[in-house]
Amino acid sequence: MSSSSSDPELAFLDRTLRIPWFDRKRMKRLRVTVVGAGNTGSQLLLQISGLGLREIKIIDRDIVELSNLQRQMVYSEADIGEPKATAAADFLKSRLGYLSTRVEGIAADVRFAELPKSDYIFSCVDNVSARRALLRHCLEKRIPLMDTGLEFYESQAGHVLLVDRETFPDGACLNCYMDLNREIATEGCIAAGITYSGGIVANIAAGMFVQHVHGRLKANFFYVDLNSCTAEFTHLKRRPSCSVCGTANWE
């Protein structure tokens, strides 16, 4: 039996607290907002909910559908027809009773909603306009933004990009990578999905988040393509000509 068993919260976090550099007090101060509780976002919530954070806010405008249950493990048949944000929050509360983490679901369109105070924002959305709104908000407020996405129509590729001007002053913003103003950038979810793709991206995003909080992250970008069996961490640099964060707009 763990020596921390007399304290339920310490017992709950026992395995993670055995990591020498993991700073429980630092994690416990963090307010995190996850925007999008679909394939990637719902699995990301599973990973960060057990870190002992101060607060997790979940924002999503959609409702749970039967097709979601195949890939989005925080939902059940009883949630069909309910807002994803509140259903995901209820699931996390059901397993976080030993933690002091506050969890709230907000059923709203992030493009028009007032965002809560956050120390980190995760973008797990499936449309360009929401991504653009989150990027501009985070750059203006100087909040680290962790953008996740699945790419290609078979969802066999995906990325994680951290935008943080403090840690990576020359790092790319999401527009540097995707060019959110391109006409070919389409709205809506990718046409196909499979159970494992969102989980791969979500797990990497959670790992990059923890590493970044502890000052250990060396790269701001991860890309995986299962079609070609390639994966890479790298430092993606800002484009000086970027219409959002380029030299003329930032310095």
Side-chain angles (χ1 to χ4, degrees), residues 4-243:
S4 63
S5 59
S6 59
D7 184 329
E9 183 165 350
L10 292 178
F12 185 92
L13 295 170
D14 178 66
R15 293 303 189 273
T16 297
L17 295 179
R18 297 185 189 193
I19 299 173
W21 50 262
F22 187 87
D23 189 335
R24 177 180 174 238
K25 291 182 178 179
R26 182 179 298 185
M27 299 300 291
K28 201 169 184 177
R29 291 195 297 264
L30 295 178
R31 299 166 298 183
V32 172
T33 297
V34 177
V35 183
N39 190 356
T40 303
S42 64
Q43 299 200 52
L44 174 69
L45 288 168
L46 291 173
Q47 305 309 319
I48 66 171
S49 61
L51 294 173
L53 303 172
R54 172 181 173 183
E55 180 178 275
I56 300 174
K57 296 286 182 70
I58 307 162
I59 302 177
D60 197 299
R61 64 178 180 174
D62 294 333
I63 63 171
V64 180
E65 301 177 358
L66 178 59
S67 62
N68 300 146
L69 305 188
Q70 178 227 17
R71 307 173 314 288
Q72 301 167 27
M73 305 306 175
V74 300
Y75 308 120
S76 68
E77 289 184 47
D79 295 318
I80 294 175
E82 297 297 321
K84 281 188 174 181
T86 54
D90 288 343
F91 175 84
L92 295 189
K93 291 175 185 177
S94 74
R95 68 182 299 272
L96 294 180
Y98 295 111
L99 297 181
S100 57
T101 304
R102 297 193 301 270
V103 181
E104 180 184 359
I106 303 170
D109 189 326
V110 71
R111 295 171 298 178
F112 311 111
E114 182 177 352
L115 291 172
K117 291 183 179 180
S118 307
D119 299 301
Y120 276 82
I121 292 180
F122 288 89
S123 172
C124 305
V125 298
D126 60 13
N127 68 84
V128 170
S129 54
R131 276 195 161 94
R132 186 184 297 115
L134 288 170
L135 174 62
R136 291 190 179 277
H137 174 82
C138 289
L139 287 175
E140 178 184 345
K141 302 295 184 181
R142 302 185 79 88
I143 301 170
L145 171 68
M146 190 81 73
D147 184 87
T148 68
L150 299 178
E151 302 173 16
F152 303 159
Y153 290 116
E154 296 175 354
S155 74
Q156 295 293 292
H159 75 267
V160 182
L161 174 64
L162 172 66
V163 181
D164 179 17
R165 287 289 174 256
E166 303 300 325
T167 306
F168 299 107
D170 65 338
C173 79
L174 181 62
N175 190 67
C176 295
Y177 172 57
M178 294 185 67
D179 193 351
L180 299 177
N181 296 317
R182 290 182 303 173
E183 292 184 1
I184 62 172
T186 58
E187 297 288 323
C189 187
I190 56 178
I194 198 164
T195 57
Y196 51 75
S197 55
I200 294 172
V201 172
N203 278 286
I204 293 295
M208 289 176 65
F209 164 63
V210 173
Q211 292 285 321
H212 184 246
V213 170
H214 289 83
R216 299 168 58 88
L217 188 62
K218 306 302 182 184
N220 66 342
F221 183 70
F222 171 79
Y223 185 79
V224 60
D225 182 356
L226 294 168
N227 294 296
S228 60
C229 295
T230 59
E232 179 184 23
F233 283 100
T234 190
H235 178 66
L236 199 64
K237 289 190 174 182
R238 171 160 45 113
R239 286 191 294 110
S241 61
C242 174
S243 62

